[in-house]
């Protein structure tokens, strides 16, 4: 069992009262349930985890070999500035190396961007605002709060598409230091068309920095190939950084490249910003093995194409399977699907999540996104998807309303 968390403030050490007020409002991070934990709790021998949008094919064999080959260098500090990795990402994205910063997951870059750009709220009411859609990735709020900033949100449309016009309007009112936009979005898988995105960038205040979190952009092209330009602003930013001097794109190695556990992400921006990110980034935050693994992953096109194929096929398989069970599935350009239970189902998404655990399937409940009636499932291998669909079929039959 994990340690029990969340001690009430009554039993807190008196010195806790000396911490910053922003910090005192933080709740312990509730991580997804682990495979080992669910096995033990329900006496299961196999558990399928489709909760964190990890790579369905695991770690690339080439990356595994690289990690073994470099294990003996773990005693060394990595080179500051991660020059080889930076060159490899430059070759992969077409961006000049000066436009890149790499971080300990894109999470670190989210944190750094807020801290370099945002002034904390002060007693006189001054201080910066961070703006995003609601719901959105929890990290934006957490890091904005830790920095002492006001975090403001604009509701998504009921169908989970993004009202960029409303977001722009709010941005012109609030003049936020940062706007976070996830595309494709998490948890819906929606991505705005590029023309809309271009208009949105033009309508923002010049001093607002737009962060395009493209953690899932790799999956936005069926089934694997060029044409990223349809949804991603990255090619235009790379070609014309001056026009997009207030835009930064975040990418990660955690999803397509299968390196979630090693923590590696990067930003692409005009060099003025990349330069400052490097100045504030802790010099060794990207560790030596992550750096080697990242270089190896970029060189493993076979693994990437196999992943994209698995995700494209699995997305179709899961969509068809869930729809056959009368669930409503949102069209997704990412490696996960958001779905609602059949009309009239007696159980909530959160309850189905708990019941799926007893059958050895871990998905993502969305109550923390304000969507207790919905669930998110990551796309797995064909076998994993089948296991999930079978468990869903059984539960909905027991519920008496599903197919
Ligand atoms: C998974 C994910 C990331 C990636 O985070 P890392 O720190 O690179 O693992 C970033 N943004 C969103 C919206 C995500 O879902």
């Amino acid at each position: 069992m994990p340690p029990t968390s969340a001690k009430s403030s009554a039993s807190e050490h008196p010195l806790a009262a000396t911490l910053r007020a922003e910090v005192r409002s933080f709740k312990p991070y509730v991580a997804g349930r682990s495979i080992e934990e669910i096995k033990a709790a329900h006496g299961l021998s196999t558990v399928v985890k489709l909760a964190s949008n990890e790579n369905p094919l695991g770690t690339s064999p080439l990356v595994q070999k690289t990690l073994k080959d470099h294990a003996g260098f773990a005693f060394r500090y990595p080179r500051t500035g991660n020059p080889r990795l930076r060159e490899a990402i430059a070759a992969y994205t077409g961006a000049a190396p000066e436009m890149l910063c790499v971080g300990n997951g894109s999470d670190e870059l989210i944190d750094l961007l807020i801290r370099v750009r945002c002034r904390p709220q002060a007693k006189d009411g001054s201080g910066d605002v961070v703006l995003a859609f609601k719901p959105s990735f929890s990290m934006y709020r957490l890091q904005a709060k830790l920095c002492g900033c006001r975090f403001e949100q604009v509701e998504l449309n009921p169908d989970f598409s993004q009202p960029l016009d409303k977001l722009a309007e709010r941005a012109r009112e609030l003049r936020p230091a940062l706007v976070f936009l996830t595309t494709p979005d998490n948890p819906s898988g929606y991505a705005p068309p590029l023309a809309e995105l271009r208009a949105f960038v033009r309508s923002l205040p010049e001093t607002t920095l737009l962060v395009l979190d493209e953690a899932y952009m790799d999956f936005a092209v069926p089934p694997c190939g060029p044409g990223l330009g349809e949804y991603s602003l990255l090619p235009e930013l790379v070609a014309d950084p001056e026009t997009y001097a207030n835009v930064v794109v975040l990418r990660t190695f955690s999803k397509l490249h299968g390196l979630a556990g090693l923590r590696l992400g990067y930003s692409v921006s005009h060099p003025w910003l990349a330069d400052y990110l490097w100045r504030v980034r802790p010099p060794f935050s990207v560790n030596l093995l992550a750096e080697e693994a990242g270089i190896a992953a970029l060189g493993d096109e076979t693994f990437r194409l196999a992943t994209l194929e698995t995700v494209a096929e699995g997305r179709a398989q899961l969509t068809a399977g869930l729809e056959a069970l009368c669930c409503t599935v949102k069209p997704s350009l990412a490696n996960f699907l958001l779905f609602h239970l059949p009309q009239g189902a007696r159980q909530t998404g959160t309850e189905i999540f708990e019941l799926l655990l007893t059958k050895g399937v871990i998905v993502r409940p969305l109550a923390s996104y304000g969507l207790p009636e919905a669930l998110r499932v990551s796309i797995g291998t064909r076998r994993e998807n089948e296991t999930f669909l079978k468990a869903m079929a059984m539960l909905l039959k027991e519920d008496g309303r599903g197919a």
Side-chain angles (χ1 to χ4, degrees):
M1 289 297 284
T4 43
S5 47
K7 286 203 184 109
S8 74
S9 55
S11 64
E12 237 176 29
H13 194 279
L15 284 176
T18 63
L19 297 178
R20 291 170 53 209
E22 297 90 330
V23 174
R24 301 259 286 153
S25 72
F26 272 60
K27 306 268 179 297
Y29 182 80
V30 184
R33 312 285 292 274
S34 76
I35 289 182
E36 290 313 317
E37 193 189 335
I38 299 305
K39 274 185 185 168
H42 301 287
L44 297 160
S45 55
T46 54
V47 167
V48 168
K49 183 174 180 236
L50 300 173
S52 304
N53 306 334
E54 292 147 345
N55 192 304
L57 302 183
T59 312
S60 122
L62 208 67
V63 167
Q64 293 191 37
K65 181 175 182 311
T66 301
L67 287 172
K68 286 186 194 118
D69 289 349
H70 288 83
F73 293 97
F75 75 106
R76 290 268 185 226
Y77 279 104
R79 275 177 67 188
T80 48
N82 309 102
R84 288 173 50 240
L85 176 60
R86 210 169 166 186
E87 285 298 332
I89 297 170
Y92 181 73
T93 57
E98 298 73 40
M99 296 179 71
L100 301 171
C101 186
V102 296
N104 191 270
S106 22
D107 284 355
E108 180 178 33
L109 295 161
I110 292 168
D111 175 37
L112 290 183
L113 283 163
I114 294 174
R115 286 196 288 151
V116 300
R117 179 65 184 81
C118 300
R119 288 142 193 95
Q121 294 286 319
K123 285 217 176 71
D124 64 2
S126 69
D128 282 317
V129 173
V130 174
L131 181 65
F133 276 123
K134 184 180 185 153
S136 64
F137 190 45
S138 62
M139 223 29 105
Y140 312 149
R141 167 194 285 279
L142 284 173
Q143 299 296 5
K145 287 283 152 203
L146 182 55
C147 191
C149 296
R150 232 174 88 202
F151 185 71
E152 293 286 334
Q153 291 177 287
V154 170
E155 294 270 348
L156 288 178
N157 292 322
D159 67 353
F160 294 96
S161 61
Q162 299 173 336
L164 290 178
D165 49 344
K166 284 190 195 148
L167 192 65
E169 199 183 303
R170 198 81 180 104
R172 287 192 300 269
E173 280 165 28
L174 292 171
R175 307 192 66 80
L178 282 175
V179 173
F180 282 98
L181 185 68
T182 319
T183 174
D185 206 356
N186 179 6
S188 72
Y190 171 86
L194 195 48
E196 262 182 50
L197 204 53
R198 273 191 211 108
F200 174 68
V201 173
R202 279 196 301 269
S203 65
L204 285 176
E206 260 176 49
T207 52
T208 293
L209 188 62
L210 172 64
V211 185
L212 294 171
D213 185 342
E214 295 193 348
Y216 301 100
M217 189 54 85
D218 298 294
F219 303 106
V221 266
C224 39
L228 275 181
E230 242 183 286
Y231 296 100
S232 175
L233 210 59
L234 183 69
E236 285 170 45
L237 165 62
V238 163
D240 183 7
E242 223 46 70
T243 296
Y244 295 102
N246 63 334
V247 176
V248 51
V249 172
L250 298 182
R251 291 277 178 98
T252 180
F253 283 80
S254 296
K255 315 286 159 51
L256 174 68
H257 303 289
L259 300 184
L262 282 178
R263 315 303 304 127
L264 191 57
Y266 58 96
S267 65
V268 187
S269 68
H270 191 291
W272 79 264
L273 181 60
D275 176 33
Y276 274 97
L277 292 174
W278 282 109
R279 293 190 205 190
V280 299
R281 201 204 74 168
F284 310 117
S285 70
V286 171
N287 73 71
L288 187 138
L289 291 176
E291 177 167 43
E292 293 299 338
I295 295 167
L298 292 178
D300 196 348
E301 197 182 8
T302 308
F303 181 78
R304 271 204 306 282
L305 294 182
T307 299
L308 290 173
E309 208 176 304
T310 303
V311 167
E313 285 172 11
R315 204 154 55 188
Q317 178 196 2
L318 283 177
T319 304
L322 284 168
E323 282 177 349
L325 295 171
C326 300
C327 293
T328 316
V329 185
K330 288 287 148 201
S332 167
L333 288 157
N335 66 338
F336 54 81
L337 292 172
L338 183 149
F339 66 95
H340 288 87
L341 298 174
Q343 283 271 309
R346 270 176 300 219
Q347 265 127 356
T348 64
T350 310
E351 284 162 350
I352 291 285
F353 159 74
E354 293 289 345
L355 290 167
L356 280 169
L357 291 181
T358 68
K359 303 205 179 295
V361 180
I362 314 176
V363 297
R364 181 75 158 86
L366 295 175
S368 67
Y369 282 86
L371 305 165
E373 74 289 0
L375 288 170
R376 191 190 71 193
V377 58
S378 306
I379 290 156
T381 61
R382 167 162 284 280
R383 288 276 308 274
E384 290 173 327
N385 300 337
E386 273 166 13
T387 304
F388 160 73
L389 288 171
K390 267 196 203 128
M392 279 298 293
M394 251 194 288
L395 292 176
L396 290 176
K397 206 164 159 190
E398 284 163 19
D399 183 87
R401 301 295 173 104

